[in-house]
Amino acid sequence: MDPPHITEFASRRYFDKLKQLSESKDQPQDAVAHSQDGPVVAESSTFILPIGRAKSIEQGSHDTHKTEKRRANFSFRTILPRSTPFDQLFLALPNELKIQIIASLPLSDVLSLRLASRSWHAMITVNEFPIARYHLEHHVPAYAKRLYPAPDPSAIRLHYLCGIWHRLHVASKLSFLISERVTKEIFLRTTEAQRLEFEPQYERMRRRLIPLLFTIFHFFETYRTLHVEYIKEHGHGLSREPYTLNPIEQKIMSMYDDQTLLRVHQVFPLVVSSFCRRLRPPSYVGRFERSLRGYLKDRPPDEVYVTAMCVGGLRQVERFWEIKGYNLRRGAIDSWYNSVLKEPAESLAKPRRGFMGLARKKSSMGEGDFHKSGEAQAGSRGRQGSDAGRRGSDASMASSWENLIFNTSLAEGMPMGELSRDQLKMLLPDLPTLQQIWAPTAEALILDRQIVERPQDIKRNAQVMLELIREDGAAEEDEWWYGRSAPASVRPPLEAIEEDPIE
């Protein structure tokens, strides 16, 4: 039989000879090559297309030895030795690569790295700007950057970024709580099968509520700031000023475009009614059954709702909402409202005494004495000959470490923090009623801007519910809220903002 390389490739004779070669392997006693037909074909060889001249055995072994020698030079053991830990390998990288790796982590992980050691804290604190800028470009939605623009490029720091994520966290939590309430009490999906069938509508409703609740957070936060500034500037509140439209609300709503103003106005009654319903007794029946079930308190007055939203903001609303048990929830509301109205009394702690004076007495040594004794013990345990140098270095390190902590941007606190007692005294008497918040000013501006032609065109109640769960229009809304070129990370699912990074 002629050798295979003489035959034309892919011809009939080629495949016949290929078949004969395969049969000769199955029958080794017949697989004897004739010397006149060409070179001998070994029994253990496979069919290989003759691309080039066949190499001799010595040359092949020599090339194999060279390849193994070449591979040994590029072994990963020489690059990454097993004895070197990962943290040293990471710290050996250039600073630019380290910052790029850290910036790609979630924000909660970046903040956790600050607590790992002093070197990690210093590295992240010094490079706040590139880390925060990366997250701002890749993970923050467009509507958040529109409502809270950075006043200065140098102000893009971790505090600014954590403030935005804190507001997003509150909006996400409230959208989940409101969607749960609407699904159960309005759409009457109570069983597991009904909720599973309603899951797509529930998810659309929850996603659509997040930007709207974020805008409401911005409204109450800005309203409180501008209200305090108005009282300081004019010497009196809005209650002594005659007006048709609330000037503070009008100034805030001028920041919103037409579509945002209309949609937030349509959803605002749902948010307020859901919060008010949460603070009522769970049953609408009479006082007798409520007393049997232990619901002894009625719903709070409207002033409590107004104070919670205008002073505490949506973060305080979320805290009340998450308290389980009506009596516990009412107790928390009453204690918070009394703490806002009244000045905290300075109560002296009485020393507790045991039965018949047999209890163990507590140590009366003060904190300063404790620190002094600790320093003395630490000094006595030190090595001789280097105490002075070590004390000086420890003192300088401690002072620099304290300055590094308290001079970071995160020391400024979270958005819409607690007001001082003087600010509360100015603000509380001038708060509007529950019916005057948002609705009159927003509806007048909607008609004045001609967003709708008639007040009847504004969707209310059942129309708002159907608008939240409708299937069409999701692509246009995502482009409007999140931007055209936004990645998938700015459209977070339910699990994306479970932890508040600023707390």
Side-chain angles (χ1 to χ4, degrees), residues 158-391:
L158 286 179
H159 180 266
Y160 168 73
L161 184 65
C162 290
I164 292 181
W165 276 107
H166 171 80
R167 301 174 181 101
L168 285 172
H169 167 80
V170 174
S172 177
K173 271 297 187 66
L174 280 177
S175 67
F176 167 74
L177 297 172
I178 293 175
S179 300
E180 288 287 329
R181 182 244 168 186
V182 169
T183 302
K184 183 179 179 181
E185 299 184 8
I186 297 179
F187 290 103
L188 302 178
R189 302 298 196 272
T190 54
T191 64
E192 188 67 26
Q194 290 175 345
R195 290 182 62 89
L196 189 61
E197 182 184 1
F198 194 72
E199 186 65 27
Q201 292 86 348
Y202 169 86
E203 184 63 22
R204 287 194 293 267
M205 175 170 54
R206 187 191 66 83
R207 284 175 58 98
R208 283 172 174 148
L209 279 175
I210 293 177
L212 303 175
L213 289 167
F214 186 88
T215 308
I216 296 176
F217 190 108
H218 172 267
F219 170 77
F220 282 117
E221 181 182 8
T222 313
Y223 185 89
R224 191 184 76 168
T225 304
L226 295 180
H227 198 175
V228 173
E229 293 177 358
Y230 183 91
I231 296 175
K232 289 182 179 179
E233 182 180 356
H234 295 81
H236 56 82
L238 293 173
S239 57
R240 299 184 182 181
E241 189 79 20
Y243 61 85
T244 304
L245 298 178
N246 191 321
I248 300 178
E249 293 183 349
Q250 194 172 2
K251 184 178 181 179
I252 300 172
M253 293 176 187
S254 63
M255 306 177 188
Y256 307 148
D257 58 280
D258 296 347
Q259 197 173 4
T260 303
L261 181 62
L262 178 61
R263 297 196 179 190
V264 174
H265 177 64
Q266 292 172 349
V267 172
F268 193 85
L270 173 65
V271 178
V272 176
S273 62
S274 299
F275 177 52
C276 295
R277 178 68 188 91
R278 183 65 176 171
L279 301 189
R280 292 175 182 170
S283 176
Y284 284 107
V285 296
R287 186 182 298 272
F288 178 70
E289 184 174 348
R290 279 185 293 178
S291 63
L292 288 178
R293 294 179 179 272
Y295 307 140
L296 301 181
K297 294 183 178 181
D298 294 330
R299 62 181 295 274
D302 291 346
E303 292 80 8
V304 177
Y305 300 114
V306 174
T307 307
M309 290 186 290
C310 293
V311 175
L314 289 191
R315 177 56 175 158
Q316 192 64 48
V317 170
E318 181 209 342
R319 287 172 178 167
F320 290 149
W321 201 310
E322 290 184 322
I323 299 176
K324 296 182 179 180
Y326 175 71
N327 292 332
L328 294 177
R329 194 158 50 247
R330 276 304 313 270
I333 291 168
D334 292 342
S335 61
W336 179 83
Y337 189 65
N338 292 332
S339 67
V340 170
L341 292 180
K342 302 176 183 178
E343 294 185 5
E346 297 181 359
S347 59
L348 298 176
K350 297 181 179 180
R352 298 180 60 185
R353 300 187 62 183
F355 180 70
M356 297 293 293
L358 299 177
R360 184 179 178 182
K361 292 184 179 181
K362 295 183 178 180
S363 175
S364 59
M365 184 173 62
E367 185 179 0
D369 298 335
F370 176 76
H371 286 300
K372 290 178 182 178
S373 63
E375 290 176 359
Q377 293 176 3
S380 64
R381 288 194 301 264
R383 295 182 180 178
Q384 299 180 357
S386 60
D387 289 344
R390 187 180 299 107
R391 286 171 186 169

Side-chain angles (χ1 to χ4, degrees), residues 449-487:
R449 294 189 196 178
Q450 297 181 355
I451 303 174
V452 295
E453 296 180 357
R454 303 174 302 168
Q456 294 83 358
D457 296 334
I458 301 176
K459 298 178 181 179
R460 309 177 192 274
N461 302 329
Q463 296 176 343
V464 176
M465 304 297 172
L466 296 177
E467 181 72 17
L468 289 175
I469 65 173
R470 68 187 179 95
E471 186 175 1
D472 57 333
E476 292 80 4
E477 291 177 358
D478 282 354
E479 182 179 344
W480 170 52
W481 285 119
Y482 301 102
R484 294 184 179 180
S485 60

Side-chain angles (χ1 to χ4, degrees), residues 20 46 79 117 134 139 219 331 378 411:
Q20 292 176 9
T46 57
I79 301 176
S117 65
Y134 179 88
H139 302 299
F219 170 77

Side-chain angles (χ1 to χ4, degrees), residues 381-447:
R381 288 194 301 264
R383 295 182 180 178
Q384 299 180 357
S386 60
D387 289 344
R390 187 180 299 107
R391 286 171 186 169
S393 62
D394 292 345
S396 61
M397 287 177 62
S399 61
S400 62
W401 176 239
E402 291 178 358
N403 293 334
L404 187 61
I405 292 178
F406 296 108
N407 290 336
T408 58
S409 62
L410 292 179
E412 301 175 14
M414 67 174 60
M416 209 169 182
E418 295 183 0
L419 294 176
S420 63
R421 181 55 52 182
D422 296 335
Q423 292 174 336
L424 287 175
K425 287 181 180 179
M426 292 188 302
L427 194 61
L428 289 176
D430 199 51
L431 292 178
T433 61
L434 187 61
Q435 292 76 20
Q436 292 177 347
I437 300 176
W438 177 276
T441 307
E443 191 158 340
L445 289 179
I446 288 172
L447 297 176

Side-chain angles (χ1 to χ4, degrees), residues 16-83:
D16 292 340
K17 292 187 176 183
L18 183 61
K19 186 177 179 181
Q20 292 176 9
L21 283 175
S22 60
E23 291 176 354
S24 64
K25 291 179 182 179
D26 298 336
Q27 301 177 359
Q29 65 273 10
D30 297 335
V32 179
H34 301 281
S35 58
Q36 66 274 14
D37 292 335
V40 179
V41 180
E43 296 180 2
S44 61
S45 64
T46 57
F47 183 75
I48 302 176
L49 291 179
I51 300 177
R53 187 175 58 183
K55 295 182 179 180
S56 63
I57 298 176
E58 297 179 357
Q59 186 178 0
S61 62
H62 180 67
D63 293 344
T64 306
H65 181 68
K66 288 176 61 179
T67 306
E68 292 178 354
K69 195 173 182 180
R70 191 182 302 115
R71 287 177 182 173
N73 296 333
F74 293 92
S75 176
F76 281 101
R77 295 181 180 178
T78 59
I79 301 176
L80 301 176
R82 294 182 180 179
S83 60

